[in-house]
Amino acid sequence: MAKRVFSGARPTGRQHIGNYFGHIMNLIALQEEYECFDCVVDLHALTTVESTASLQQDINDMVLDWLAAGVDPEKSVVFVQSHVPEITELHLLLSMVTPLNWLLRVPTFKEKVRMHPENVNYGLVGYPVLMTSDIVLYKGEMVPVGEDQLPHLELAREIVRRFNSMYGDVFPEPAAKLTQFPMIVGLDGTGKMSKSADNHLEIASTPDEIRRKVSTAFTDPARKRRADIGHPEVCNVYTLHKMFTPGRVQEIGSECRVAGIGCVDCKKLLAQGIVDYFGPFRERRLELQSRPEYVREVVGHGAERASRVARETLREVKAAMNLLP
Ligand code: SF4
């Protein structure tokens, strides 16, 4: 039987090319080999969100992008975290076995306290317990993570080990499935592509939007005039060419080094590569968008499938903890 993989992602709305290469492509690849539970973790979003006004729209837009890109709801269980209420009960039960000092030492918690001292809520410190609950409620055996997320998964494994040692072997210890996809640098060249840094390019952008955004991309800072020779290895536009125009990368690199191509033309080529790459995706997205109920149906069906597993797991947990009469 195929191993079960749990992937959670916060509802961030329309997806950008960093999300596409870092997460969506992974979901598409994994569904061919594993039993995948692809979850939109809306409750996690509440730990830091200032307003929930756009939450439903963000969920809809994100799932629409997943589906248009190739996530198959017949193969994968695509669902929303809060639509399976058992998650909150398991979260409470696991919180009873998790020592507070394990949670207070988590680096991302410390970082969030530093960044948002006015909003250190109870949910924030319990975030790793909720994350662990997400994985084990569905008996997830593997979790796709980048290297930077390994400590979080290790904490989840510690919580699982502690529960199993206290109440018996109910949960499998989830293993990391290290993702292969590269980190995408933002168009401003300063760090990871993200919406909060406003350096992103949405995959559902129109061709005109793609051209306009790419034209603003940061290039080799040493190349101030058209006649200056370039250094493609430090240029983010060149890195993106490797993904979107792989057949022309060598030529572009060589031309850049002798100032044979200018940055304006280089970016036009890249923009066209991105327009072409996402052409079939845009068509499919428009087609799915014309069926307004489609995303709701997919996540409704996903919640039913996920609930069946969740109810059984919770029954086992309560039995192990002597909570059943
Ligand atoms: Fe970057 Fe292209 Fe300009 Fe070279 S020509 S610096 S690869 S944008």
mmCIF file of all heavy atoms in Angstrom, residues 5-42:
data_model
loop_
_atom_site.group_PDB
_atom_site.id
_atom_site.type_symbol
_atom_site.label_atom_id
_atom_site.label_comp_id
_atom_site.label_asym_id
_atom_site.label_seq_id
_atom_site.Cartn_x
_atom_site.Cartn_y
_atom_site.Cartn_z
ATOM 1 N N VAL A 5 1.154 10.643 2.768
ATOM 2 C CA VAL A 5 1.929 11.884 2.892
ATOM 3 C C VAL A 5 0.986 13.013 3.284
ATOM 4 O O VAL A 5 -0.071 13.174 2.671
ATOM 5 C CB VAL A 5 2.597 12.231 1.541
ATOM 6 C CG1 VAL A 5 3.259 13.594 1.597
ATOM 7 C CG2 VAL A 5 3.626 11.167 1.160
ATOM 8 N N PHE A 6 1.353 13.782 4.301
ATOM 9 C CA PHE A 6 0.551 14.950 4.679
ATOM 10 C C PHE A 6 1.311 16.223 4.321
ATOM 11 O O PHE A 6 2.463 16.406 4.712
ATOM 12 C CB PHE A 6 0.246 14.953 6.184
ATOM 13 C CG PHE A 6 -0.559 16.155 6.586
ATOM 14 C CD1 PHE A 6 -1.938 16.124 6.541
ATOM 15 C CD2 PHE A 6 0.068 17.344 6.944
ATOM 16 C CE1 PHE A 6 -2.692 17.248 6.854
ATOM 17 C CE2 PHE A 6 -0.676 18.477 7.256
ATOM 18 C CZ PHE A 6 -2.052 18.430 7.216
ATOM 19 N N SER A 7 0.634 17.120 3.585
ATOM 20 C CA SER A 7 1.225 18.436 3.280
ATOM 21 C C SER A 7 0.253 19.518 3.727
ATOM 22 O O SER A 7 -0.921 19.464 3.349
ATOM 23 C CB SER A 7 1.431 18.642 1.773
ATOM 24 O OG SER A 7 2.093 17.584 1.198
ATOM 25 N N GLY A 8 0.734 20.469 4.474
ATOM 26 C CA GLY A 8 -0.124 21.582 4.890
ATOM 27 C C GLY A 8 0.414 22.888 4.338
ATOM 28 O O GLY A 8 1.626 23.090 4.282
ATOM 29 N N ALA A 9 -0.508 23.770 3.921
ATOM 30 C CA ALA A 9 -0.076 25.093 3.439
ATOM 31 C C ALA A 9 -1.090 26.128 3.913
ATOM 32 O O ALA A 9 -2.298 25.905 3.831
ATOM 33 C CB ALA A 9 0.019 25.108 1.921
ATOM 34 N N ARG A 10 -0.575 27.238 4.401
ATOM 35 C CA ARG A 10 -1.469 28.326 4.821
ATOM 36 C C ARG A 10 -2.189 28.914 3.610
ATOM 37 O O ARG A 10 -1.602 28.979 2.521
ATOM 38 C CB ARG A 10 -0.652 29.452 5.455
ATOM 39 C CG ARG A 10 -0.219 29.148 6.853
ATOM 40 C CD ARG A 10 0.576 30.341 7.362
ATOM 41 N NE ARG A 10 0.967 30.132 8.735
ATOM 42 C CZ ARG A 10 0.818 31.029 9.705
ATOM 43 N NH1 ARG A 10 0.306 32.218 9.448
ATOM 44 N NH2 ARG A 10 1.195 30.773 10.921
ATOM 45 N N PRO A 11 -3.419 29.379 3.799
ATOM 46 C CA PRO A 11 -4.141 29.967 2.661
ATOM 47 C C PRO A 11 -3.566 31.329 2.294
ATOM 48 O O PRO A 11 -3.813 32.312 2.988
ATOM 49 C CB PRO A 11 -5.581 30.096 3.176
ATOM 50 C CG PRO A 11 -5.464 30.095 4.669
ATOM 51 C CD PRO A 11 -4.229 29.346 5.029
ATOM 52 N N THR A 12 -2.768 31.365 1.247
ATOM 53 C CA THR A 12 -2.108 32.618 0.869
ATOM 54 C C THR A 12 -2.658 33.196 -0.428
ATOM 55 O O THR A 12 -2.034 34.050 -1.044
ATOM 56 C CB THR A 12 -0.584 32.403 0.745
ATOM 57 O OG1 THR A 12 -0.358 31.266 -0.089
ATOM 58 C CG2 THR A 12 0.068 32.193 2.087
ATOM 59 N N GLY A 13 -3.821 32.694 -0.871
ATOM 60 C CA GLY A 13 -4.440 33.276 -2.065
ATOM 61 C C GLY A 13 -3.753 32.838 -3.340
ATOM 62 O O GLY A 13 -3.193 31.740 -3.413
ATOM 63 N N ARG A 14 -3.803 33.722 -4.327
ATOM 64 C CA ARG A 14 -3.203 33.384 -5.629
ATOM 65 C C ARG A 14 -1.722 33.055 -5.441
ATOM 66 O O ARG A 14 -1.000 33.780 -4.770
ATOM 67 C CB ARG A 14 -3.397 34.558 -6.598
ATOM 68 C CG ARG A 14 -4.835 34.651 -7.123
ATOM 69 C CD ARG A 14 -5.141 36.039 -7.668
ATOM 70 N NE ARG A 14 -4.270 36.437 -8.750
ATOM 71 C CZ ARG A 14 -4.656 36.591 -10.016
ATOM 72 N NH1 ARG A 14 -5.921 36.353 -10.357
ATOM 73 N NH2 ARG A 14 -3.823 36.990 -10.940
ATOM 74 N N GLN A 15 -1.300 31.984 -6.049
ATOM 75 C CA GLN A 15 0.053 31.473 -5.819
ATOM 76 C C GLN A 15 1.074 32.141 -6.745
ATOM 77 O O GLN A 15 0.761 32.500 -7.884
ATOM 78 C CB GLN A 15 0.060 29.958 -6.045
ATOM 79 C CG GLN A 15 -0.906 29.230 -5.122
ATOM 80 C CD GLN A 15 -0.407 29.217 -3.681
ATOM 81 O OE1 GLN A 15 0.392 28.383 -3.294
ATOM 82 N NE2 GLN A 15 -0.878 30.164 -2.880
ATOM 83 N N HIS A 16 2.293 32.284 -6.248
ATOM 84 C CA HIS A 16 3.351 32.871 -7.075
ATOM 85 C C HIS A 16 4.336 31.791 -7.513
ATOM 86 O O HIS A 16 4.203 30.619 -7.119
ATOM 87 C CB HIS A 16 4.047 34.032 -6.344
ATOM 88 C CG HIS A 16 4.598 33.686 -5.001
ATOM 89 N ND1 HIS A 16 5.639 32.801 -4.826
ATOM 90 C CD2 HIS A 16 4.261 34.106 -3.761
ATOM 91 C CE1 HIS A 16 5.934 32.709 -3.548
ATOM 92 N NE2 HIS A 16 5.098 33.480 -2.866
ATOM 93 N N ILE A 17 5.294 32.169 -8.325
ATOM 94 C CA ILE A 17 6.160 31.123 -8.884
ATOM 95 C C ILE A 17 7.035 30.465 -7.817
ATOM 96 O O ILE A 17 7.454 29.324 -7.983
ATOM 97 C CB ILE A 17 6.992 31.595 -10.106
ATOM 98 C CG1 ILE A 17 7.866 32.779 -9.782
ATOM 99 C CG2 ILE A 17 6.101 31.914 -11.275
ATOM 100 C CD1 ILE A 17 8.725 33.215 -10.979
ATOM 101 N N GLY A 18 7.260 31.144 -6.703
ATOM 102 C CA GLY A 18 7.961 30.493 -5.584
ATOM 103 C C GLY A 18 7.107 29.376 -5.004
ATOM 104 O O GLY A 18 7.599 28.277 -4.728
ATOM 105 N N ASN A 19 5.815 29.633 -4.822
ATOM 106 C CA ASN A 19 4.896 28.590 -4.339
ATOM 107 C C ASN A 19 4.827 27.445 -5.346
ATOM 108 O O ASN A 19 4.746 26.276 -4.968
ATOM 109 C CB ASN A 19 3.454 29.119 -4.187
ATOM 110 C CG ASN A 19 3.324 30.297 -3.254
ATOM 111 O OD1 ASN A 19 2.672 31.278 -3.594
ATOM 112 N ND2 ASN A 19 3.937 30.219 -2.088
ATOM 113 N N TYR A 20 4.839 27.802 -6.615
ATOM 114 C CA TYR A 20 4.687 26.785 -7.661
ATOM 115 C C TYR A 20 5.853 25.789 -7.636
ATOM 116 O O TYR A 20 5.652 24.582 -7.573
ATOM 117 C CB TYR A 20 4.594 27.471 -9.034
ATOM 118 C CG TYR A 20 4.433 26.515 -10.177
ATOM 119 C CD1 TYR A 20 3.201 25.932 -10.446
ATOM 120 C CD2 TYR A 20 5.523 26.166 -10.981
ATOM 121 C CE1 TYR A 20 3.051 25.022 -11.488
ATOM 122 C CE2 TYR A 20 5.386 25.266 -12.015
ATOM 123 C CZ TYR A 20 4.150 24.701 -12.262
ATOM 124 O OH TYR A 20 4.021 23.788 -13.289
ATOM 125 N N PHE A 21 7.082 26.325 -7.654
ATOM 126 C CA PHE A 21 8.240 25.417 -7.687
ATOM 127 C C PHE A 21 8.535 24.807 -6.309
ATOM 128 O O PHE A 21 9.070 23.713 -6.223
ATOM 129 C CB PHE A 21 9.482 26.144 -8.217
ATOM 130 C CG PHE A 21 9.419 26.369 -9.700
ATOM 131 C CD1 PHE A 21 9.155 27.618 -10.226
ATOM 132 C CD2 PHE A 21 9.586 25.311 -10.580
ATOM 133 C CE1 PHE A 21 9.072 27.827 -11.598
ATOM 134 C CE2 PHE A 21 9.500 25.498 -11.957
ATOM 135 C CZ PHE A 21 9.242 26.755 -12.466
ATOM 136 N N GLY A 22 8.176 25.531 -5.242
ATOM 137 C CA GLY A 22 8.499 25.037 -3.912
ATOM 138 C C GLY A 22 7.441 24.121 -3.322
ATOM 139 O O GLY A 22 7.740 23.328 -2.437
ATOM 140 N N HIS A 23 6.203 24.231 -3.799
ATOM 141 C CA HIS A 23 5.140 23.450 -3.157
ATOM 142 C C HIS A 23 4.248 22.713 -4.167
ATOM 143 O O HIS A 23 4.088 21.489 -4.080
ATOM 144 C CB HIS A 23 4.293 24.386 -2.288
ATOM 145 C CG HIS A 23 3.241 23.677 -1.494
ATOM 146 N ND1 HIS A 23 3.529 22.769 -0.491
ATOM 147 C CD2 HIS A 23 1.893 23.717 -1.556
ATOM 148 C CE1 HIS A 23 2.419 22.289 0.020
ATOM 149 N NE2 HIS A 23 1.403 22.845 -0.607
ATOM 150 N N ILE A 24 3.701 23.455 -5.122
ATOM 151 C CA ILE A 24 2.685 22.837 -6.007
ATOM 152 C C ILE A 24 3.289 21.702 -6.839
ATOM 153 O O ILE A 24 2.692 20.629 -6.971
ATOM 154 C CB ILE A 24 2.032 23.905 -6.923
ATOM 155 C CG1 ILE A 24 1.345 24.974 -6.079
ATOM 156 C CG2 ILE A 24 1.021 23.254 -7.864
ATOM 157 C CD1 ILE A 24 0.755 26.132 -6.865
ATOM 158 N N MET A 25 4.483 21.914 -7.367
ATOM 159 C CA MET A 25 5.098 20.852 -8.185
ATOM 160 C C MET A 25 5.338 19.599 -7.355
ATOM 161 O O MET A 25 5.267 18.479 -7.846
ATOM 162 C CB MET A 25 6.411 21.338 -8.807
ATOM 163 C CG MET A 25 6.141 22.175 -10.048
ATOM 164 S SD MET A 25 7.638 22.606 -10.913
ATOM 165 C CE MET A 25 8.073 21.061 -11.664
ATOM 166 N N ASN A 26 5.623 19.841 -6.098
ATOM 167 C CA ASN A 26 5.812 18.724 -5.168
ATOM 168 C C ASN A 26 4.511 17.940 -4.986
ATOM 169 O O ASN A 26 4.511 16.709 -5.001
ATOM 170 C CB ASN A 26 6.233 19.330 -3.829
ATOM 171 C CG ASN A 26 7.309 18.540 -3.189
ATOM 172 O OD1 ASN A 26 7.867 17.634 -3.781
ATOM 173 N ND2 ASN A 26 7.598 18.874 -1.950
ATOM 174 N N LEU A 27 3.408 18.665 -4.810
ATOM 175 C CA LEU A 27 2.106 18.003 -4.641
ATOM 176 C C LEU A 27 1.791 17.153 -5.873
ATOM 177 O O LEU A 27 1.302 16.019 -5.762
ATOM 178 C CB LEU A 27 0.980 19.028 -4.452
ATOM 179 C CG LEU A 27 1.047 19.971 -3.243
ATOM 180 C CD1 LEU A 27 -0.180 20.883 -3.219
ATOM 181 C CD2 LEU A 27 1.130 19.185 -1.944
ATOM 182 N N ILE A 28 2.084 17.705 -7.028
ATOM 183 C CA ILE A 28 1.764 17.002 -8.282
ATOM 184 C C ILE A 28 2.629 15.742 -8.430
ATOM 185 O O ILE A 28 2.142 14.680 -8.820
ATOM 186 C CB ILE A 28 1.961 17.958 -9.494
ATOM 187 C CG1 ILE A 28 0.965 19.112 -9.404
ATOM 188 C CG2 ILE A 28 1.796 17.209 -10.814
ATOM 189 C CD1 ILE A 28 1.259 20.263 -10.349
ATOM 190 N N ALA A 29 3.903 15.868 -8.076
ATOM 191 C CA ALA A 29 4.801 14.707 -8.213
ATOM 192 C C ALA A 29 4.433 13.621 -7.205
ATOM 193 O O ALA A 29 4.376 12.434 -7.537
ATOM 194 C CB ALA A 29 6.249 15.153 -8.014
ATOM 195 N N LEU A 30 4.152 14.025 -5.977
ATOM 196 C CA LEU A 30 3.910 13.039 -4.911
ATOM 197 C C LEU A 30 2.635 12.236 -5.135
ATOM 198 O O LEU A 30 2.551 11.066 -4.755
ATOM 199 C CB LEU A 30 3.840 13.746 -3.552
ATOM 200 C CG LEU A 30 5.166 14.304 -3.035
ATOM 201 C CD1 LEU A 30 4.933 15.212 -1.829
ATOM 202 C CD2 LEU A 30 6.115 13.169 -2.650
ATOM 203 N N GLN A 31 1.623 12.861 -5.765
ATOM 204 C CA GLN A 31 0.334 12.157 -5.900
ATOM 205 C C GLN A 31 0.442 10.927 -6.805
ATOM 206 O O GLN A 31 -0.428 10.062 -6.788
ATOM 207 C CB GLN A 31 -0.748 13.108 -6.414
ATOM 208 C CG GLN A 31 -0.566 13.556 -7.846
ATOM 209 C CD GLN A 31 -1.556 14.648 -8.265
ATOM 210 O OE1 GLN A 31 -2.391 15.075 -7.486
ATOM 211 N NE2 GLN A 31 -1.455 15.093 -9.505
ATOM 212 N N GLU A 32 1.533 10.860 -7.599
ATOM 213 C CA GLU A 32 1.710 9.703 -8.480
ATOM 214 C C GLU A 32 2.198 8.479 -7.705
ATOM 215 O O GLU A 32 2.076 7.360 -8.158
ATOM 216 C CB GLU A 32 2.705 10.024 -9.603
ATOM 217 C CG GLU A 32 2.285 11.187 -10.497
ATOM 218 C CD GLU A 32 0.889 10.986 -11.089
ATOM 219 O OE1 GLU A 32 0.520 9.829 -11.380
ATOM 220 O OE2 GLU A 32 0.154 11.987 -11.233
ATOM 221 N N GLU A 33 2.798 8.727 -6.547
ATOM 222 C CA GLU A 33 3.458 7.633 -5.842
ATOM 223 C C GLU A 33 2.879 7.347 -4.451
ATOM 224 O O GLU A 33 3.035 6.267 -3.928
ATOM 225 C CB GLU A 33 4.932 8.036 -5.675
ATOM 226 C CG GLU A 33 5.890 6.892 -5.848
ATOM 227 C CD GLU A 33 7.313 7.365 -5.625
ATOM 228 O OE1 GLU A 33 7.693 8.425 -6.176
ATOM 229 O OE2 GLU A 33 8.024 6.689 -4.886
ATOM 230 N N TYR A 34 2.239 8.362 -3.876
ATOM 231 C CA TYR A 34 1.791 8.236 -2.481
ATOM 232 C C TYR A 34 0.299 8.548 -2.348
ATOM 233 O O TYR A 34 -0.312 9.102 -3.265
ATOM 234 C CB TYR A 34 2.591 9.201 -1.586
ATOM 235 C CG TYR A 34 4.072 8.953 -1.616
ATOM 236 C CD1 TYR A 34 4.908 9.735 -2.402
ATOM 237 C CD2 TYR A 34 4.634 7.907 -0.878
ATOM 238 C CE1 TYR A 34 6.279 9.497 -2.444
ATOM 239 C CE2 TYR A 34 6.010 7.667 -0.915
ATOM 240 C CZ TYR A 34 6.822 8.462 -1.708
ATOM 241 O OH TYR A 34 8.166 8.218 -1.742
ATOM 242 N N GLU A 35 -0.216 8.225 -1.171
ATOM 243 C CA GLU A 35 -1.574 8.638 -0.849
ATOM 244 C C GLU A 35 -1.452 10.007 -0.190
ATOM 245 O O GLU A 35 -0.973 10.104 0.951
ATOM 246 C CB GLU A 35 -2.207 7.619 0.109
ATOM 247 C CG GLU A 35 -3.652 7.907 0.389
ATOM 248 C CD GLU A 35 -4.208 7.049 1.519
ATOM 249 O OE1 GLU A 35 -3.440 6.374 2.236
ATOM 250 O OE2 GLU A 35 -5.432 7.070 1.689
ATOM 251 N N CYS A 36 -1.834 11.048 -0.897
ATOM 252 C CA CYS A 36 -1.542 12.403 -0.419
ATOM 253 C C CYS A 36 -2.746 13.081 0.214
ATOM 254 O O CYS A 36 -3.848 13.051 -0.334
ATOM 255 C CB CYS A 36 -1.054 13.272 -1.579
ATOM 256 S SG CYS A 36 0.517 12.717 -2.222
ATOM 257 N N PHE A 37 -2.520 13.720 1.352
ATOM 258 C CA PHE A 37 -3.509 14.565 2.007
ATOM 259 C C PHE A 37 -2.979 16.000 1.881
ATOM 260 O O PHE A 37 -1.995 16.350 2.538
ATOM 261 C CB PHE A 37 -3.675 14.174 3.482
ATOM 262 C CG PHE A 37 -4.565 12.974 3.689
ATOM 263 C CD1 PHE A 37 -4.254 11.748 3.118
ATOM 264 C CD2 PHE A 37 -5.725 13.088 4.438
ATOM 265 C CE1 PHE A 37 -5.087 10.638 3.292
ATOM 266 C CE2 PHE A 37 -6.561 11.987 4.626
ATOM 267 C CZ PHE A 37 -6.242 10.764 4.049
ATOM 268 N N ASP A 38 -3.617 16.785 1.014
ATOM 269 C CA ASP A 38 -3.167 18.159 0.759
ATOM 270 C C ASP A 38 -4.118 19.112 1.477
ATOM 271 O O ASP A 38 -5.263 19.294 1.064
ATOM 272 C CB ASP A 38 -3.176 18.466 -0.742
ATOM 273 C CG ASP A 38 -2.274 17.511 -1.521
ATOM 274 O OD1 ASP A 38 -1.372 16.909 -0.908
ATOM 275 O OD2 ASP A 38 -2.485 17.373 -2.744
ATOM 276 N N CYS A 39 -3.613 19.716 2.539
ATOM 277 C CA CYS A 39 -4.497 20.453 3.444
ATOM 278 C C CYS A 39 -4.211 21.959 3.430
ATOM 279 O O CYS A 39 -3.057 22.380 3.510
ATOM 280 C CB CYS A 39 -4.288 19.902 4.857
ATOM 281 S SG CYS A 39 -5.341 20.635 6.096
ATOM 282 N N VAL A 40 -5.280 22.748 3.350
ATOM 283 C CA VAL A 40 -5.153 24.203 3.507
ATOM 284 C C VAL A 40 -5.332 24.479 4.998
ATOM 285 O O VAL A 40 -6.424 24.293 5.551
ATOM 286 C CB VAL A 40 -6.249 24.945 2.716
ATOM 287 C CG1 VAL A 40 -6.074 26.444 2.879
ATOM 288 C CG2 VAL A 40 -6.235 24.542 1.247
ATOM 289 N N VAL A 41 -4.253 24.895 5.653
ATOM 290 C CA VAL A 41 -4.306 24.995 7.116
ATOM 291 C C VAL A 41 -4.801 26.387 7.546
ATOM 292 O O VAL A 41 -4.039 27.249 7.958
ATOM 293 C CB VAL A 41 -2.950 24.601 7.760
ATOM 294 C CG1 VAL A 41 -2.704 23.105 7.605
ATOM 295 C CG2 VAL A 41 -1.778 25.355 7.161
ATOM 296 N N ASP A 42 -6.119 26.549 7.470
ATOM 297 C CA ASP A 42 -6.693 27.863 7.781
ATOM 298 C C ASP A 42 -6.607 28.208 9.269
ATOM 299 O O ASP A 42 -6.466 29.375 9.639
ATOM 300 C CB ASP A 42 -8.144 27.953 7.270
ATOM 301 C CG ASP A 42 -9.058 26.855 7.799
ATOM 302 O OD1 ASP A 42 -8.557 25.842 8.325
ATOM 303 O OD2 ASP A 42 -10.294 27.003 7.664
#
